[in-house]
Amino acid sequence: MAETLRPDALEITAFEGRVLVEARGLAATLDVEAASALSDKLLAACSLARLQQHVAIEDPSAL
């Protein structure tokens, strides 16, 4: 089931040379390369989502 999370729902920290991602019911450690790749993918997805929001506001029929 997909859920929209609030920004404060995720805790992301450095832990013993890795990146620790925690949320309710979730804990994951990523090596630096995996965390960097995830960061790149999140940034790209955020950019696309913002563009989609602008299109939806300007021309809702375009979606």
Side-chain angles (χ1 to χ4, degrees):
M1 178 171 92
E3 180 180 339
T4 300
L5 299 175
R6 297 182 327 274
D8 61 345
L10 292 173
E11 175 93 19
I12 302 172
T13 56
F15 179 74
E16 296 181 354
R18 294 183 176 269
V19 176
L20 176 62
V21 180
E22 295 178 284
R24 184 184 58 202
L26 167 76
T29 56
L30 304 168
D31 63 25
V32 174
E33 291 80 18
S36 181
L38 177 60
S39 175
D40 291 345
K41 290 178 182 181
L42 283 168
L43 183 57
C46 288
S47 296
L48 182 56
R50 287 192 189 278
L51 286 172
Q52 291 170 343
Q53 288 175 340
H54 291 296
V55 168
I57 290 168
E58 293 170 9
D59 184 7
S61 65
L63 296 176

